Amino acid sequence: MFNNLSDKLDKALHVLKGHGSITEVNVAETLKEVRRALLDADVNFKIAKQFTTTVKEKALGQNVLTTLQPGQLMVKIVKDELTQLMGGDAEGINLSGTPTVILMSGLQGSGKTTFSGKLANYLKTKKTKKPLLVACDIYRPAAINQLHVVGEQIGVEVYSEEGNQDPVAISQNAIKHAKSNGHNIVIVDTAGRLAVDEEMMNEISNIHKAIQPQETLFVVDSMTGQDAVNTAKTFNDILNFDGVVLTKLDGDTRGGAALSIKSVVNKPIKFIGTGEKMEAIDVFYPDRMADRILG
Ligand code: GDP
């Protein structure tokens, strides 16, 4: 995960990490390299610039040049700032409500259906909940089948209505079904398109208004870099979602999405997907991710 970024940051901080003398010049050089590493990782220009400015101010504020271990202090400042950039503290999901309704949003292929299954499995095993998965993609029968396959695999019931072309009604009926069958979690998987379009936005917005979920999650493929951030912005403008799920972090992702999304939409990354299997889900901890990035 983020191997390239880790290497580059490691190289940038290398001079300062040693115990040798450190000067204002090599701090400046280092920060230039840090900025380049962030840009190469697909972090938005403004965010990368702000990041290095903040690190510089903190370094000067803490008299980094005159401390005993200036290199270590610099690494710590960079690590703390990376943590802040990705959201500070980990944020859980809101499990209030009977049932708790969780709405999944995002583009087709982002990993919504897979993540819906992973989340149901996670809540079932870790939080002893009884989830219901809801298939609301009326355009692609294959997507409904896919959710049924996932449900079978993890032993979670899947609600779908063959022939019903109204996703709002399906989601409302699913909640009724959940109430009368003792499900305390309802995870609604919605249709996605390959690109943002008005029809899809209206549809998800109507579902959102009708079912008033406790938690609306935006699922995004981390491999899509700056596009991920732009899509997040569009979905957030419409849905004011509660959190982000970054999928495919097991792939060769450059890390830009993980580093930029929080600053752009001001919503926390709550979960990450790290593989195709149902167990490949992790709660997102910004400090652990910063540790991983800096090695
Ligand atoms: P949806 O169209 O948003 O519902 O996306 P899917 O759940 O169908 O996922 C699209 C593809 O990405 C599938 O082949 C999934 O197996 C794959 N996928 C989903 N999440 C992950 C992940 O975290 N890691 C990897 N490597 N593949 C994933």
Side-chain angles (χ1 to χ4, degrees):
M1 199 187 286
F2 306 162
N3 288 340
N4 212 2
L5 175 63
S6 296
D7 282 355
K8 287 196 174 141
L9 284 177
D10 191 50
K11 273 202 194 108
L13 292 165
H14 181 74
V15 183
L16 302 180
K17 266 186 180 168
H19 297 282
S21 68
I22 121 168
T23 64
E24 220 164 292
V25 173
N26 58 25
V27 167
E29 277 298 310
T30 299
L31 288 178
K32 218 161 126 191
E33 289 301 316
V34 166
R35 188 157 123 196
R36 195 167 298 157
L38 293 174
L39 292 175
D40 284 348
D42 234 356
V43 173
N44 168 283
F45 177 78
K46 268 198 229 152
I47 296 171
K49 193 165 174 213
Q50 179 63 47
F51 183 87
T52 41
T53 307
T54 311
V55 169
K56 190 172 170 195
E57 277 165 10
K58 293 217 164 136
L60 296 178
Q62 296 182 34
N63 293 324
V64 74
L65 299 178
T66 55
T67 55
L68 279 177
Q69 295 187 310
Q72 248 96 322
L73 183 55
M74 265 311 270
V75 173
K76 185 179 178 305
I77 293 171
V78 171
K79 197 172 270 183
D80 288 349
E81 265 336 283
L82 279 177
T83 306
Q84 281 310 314
L85 189 61
M86 291 185 288
D89 295 327
E91 299 207 25
I93 54 171
N94 174 3
L95 292 177
S96 67
T98 37
T100 303
V101 178
I102 302 172
L103 179 66
M104 297 294 170
S105 65
L107 295 180
Q108 187 179 319
S110 59
K112 273 190 313 298
T113 303
T114 309
F115 184 76
S116 299
K118 287 179 182 176
L119 184 61
N121 192 41
Y122 169 87
L123 292 171
K124 182 177 155 226
T125 44
K126 302 254 174 181
K127 313 265 180 198
T128 58
K129 296 281 186 185
K130 188 184 173 198
L132 177 70
L133 283 162
V134 185
C136 264
D137 191 338
I138 52 166
Y139 312 99
R140 293 187 310 136
I144 299 177
N145 281 343
Q146 187 189 344
L147 196 63
H148 277 281
V149 170
V150 161
E152 223 159 87
Q153 207 179 321
I154 57 175
V156 167
E157 187 184 335
V158 175
Y159 184 92
S160 63
E161 288 185 24
E162 210 180 312
N164 191 341
Q165 292 295 304
D166 179 358
V168 171
I170 298 172
S171 56
Q172 286 172 322
N173 293 343
I175 293 170
K176 278 186 211 137
H177 177 87
K179 281 182 181 158
S180 47
N181 289 277
H183 292 278
N184 46 17
I185 301 271
V186 179
I187 299 174
V188 181
D189 184 20
T190 57
R193 306 281 159 80
L194 291 171
V196 171
D197 71 40
E198 209 181 314
E199 200 187 333
M200 172 177 77
M201 284 304 176
N202 282 340
E203 180 181 300
I204 186 117
S205 167
N206 288 340
I207 297 176
H208 185 252
K209 279 185 204 136
I211 63 176
Q212 302 192 356
Q214 274 71 28
E215 191 78 32
T216 302
L217 296 175
F218 169 69
V219 181
V220 67
D221 178 344
S222 61
M223 312 272 278
T224 54
Q226 301 227 9
D227 276 350
V229 179
N230 295 334
T231 316
K233 211 165 166 296
T234 311
F235 272 85
N236 194 44
D237 287 346
I238 304 271
L239 294 176
N240 190 19
F241 56 66
D242 301 291
V244 177
V245 177
L246 265 188
T247 63
K248 308 186 196 182
L249 273 180
D250 51 310
D252 191 19
T253 173
R254 288 191 282 177
L259 292 166
S260 315
I261 273 188
K262 174 66 173 44
S263 315
V264 175
V265 293
N266 200 22
K267 296 290 166 63
I269 300 170
K270 295 199 171 182
F271 288 98
I272 56 174
T274 55
E276 296 188 77
K277 296 219 171 83
M278 283 297 113
E279 296 74 29
I281 168 175
D282 275 313
V283 171
F284 182 77
Y285 295 101
D287 55 339
R288 287 189 203 167
M289 191 56 83
D291 272 340
R292 265 166 110 155
I293 291 172
L294 288 180

mmCIF file of all heavy atoms in Angstrom, residues 56 185 210 219 239:
data_model
loop_
_atom_site.group_PDB
_atom_site.id
_atom_site.type_symbol
_atom_site.label_atom_id
_atom_site.label_comp_id
_atom_site.label_asym_id
_atom_site.label_seq_id
_atom_site.Cartn_x
_atom_site.Cartn_y
_atom_site.Cartn_z
ATOM 1 N N LYS A 56 6.331 23.296 7.918
ATOM 2 C CA LYS A 56 7.418 24.267 8.099
ATOM 3 C C LYS A 56 7.158 25.156 9.328
ATOM 4 O O LYS A 56 8.036 25.347 10.179
ATOM 5 C CB LYS A 56 7.537 25.136 6.849
ATOM 6 C CG LYS A 56 8.756 25.986 6.851
ATOM 7 C CD LYS A 56 8.915 26.674 5.514
ATOM 8 C CE LYS A 56 10.003 27.715 5.602
ATOM 9 N NZ LYS A 56 9.957 28.634 4.476
ATOM 10 N N ILE A 185 -30.241 -3.929 11.303
ATOM 11 C CA ILE A 185 -29.404 -3.153 10.372
ATOM 12 C C ILE A 185 -29.955 -3.362 8.959
ATOM 13 O O ILE A 185 -30.236 -4.497 8.575
ATOM 14 C CB ILE A 185 -27.936 -3.672 10.360
ATOM 15 C CG1 ILE A 185 -27.286 -3.610 11.738
ATOM 16 C CG2 ILE A 185 -27.113 -2.957 9.279
ATOM 17 C CD1 ILE A 185 -26.585 -2.333 12.064
ATOM 18 N N ALA A 210 -36.273 9.688 1.235
ATOM 19 C CA ALA A 210 -37.374 8.812 1.648
ATOM 20 C C ALA A 210 -37.019 7.941 2.850
ATOM 21 O O ALA A 210 -37.850 7.728 3.732
ATOM 22 C CB ALA A 210 -37.791 7.917 0.467
ATOM 23 N N VAL A 219 -18.797 5.359 -1.372
ATOM 24 C CA VAL A 219 -17.778 4.345 -1.661
ATOM 25 C C VAL A 219 -16.979 4.776 -2.882
ATOM 26 O O VAL A 219 -17.556 5.127 -3.914
ATOM 27 C CB VAL A 219 -18.441 2.974 -1.938
ATOM 28 C CG1 VAL A 219 -17.389 1.908 -2.214
ATOM 29 C CG2 VAL A 219 -19.323 2.564 -0.764
ATOM 30 N N LEU A 239 -25.747 14.732 -1.275
ATOM 31 C CA LEU A 239 -26.187 13.854 -0.182
ATOM 32 C C LEU A 239 -25.731 14.299 1.207
ATOM 33 O O LEU A 239 -26.257 13.819 2.209
ATOM 34 C CB LEU A 239 -25.663 12.422 -0.410
ATOM 35 C CG LEU A 239 -26.200 11.669 -1.617
ATOM 36 C CD1 LEU A 239 -25.514 10.323 -1.742
ATOM 37 C CD2 LEU A 239 -27.718 11.479 -1.506
#
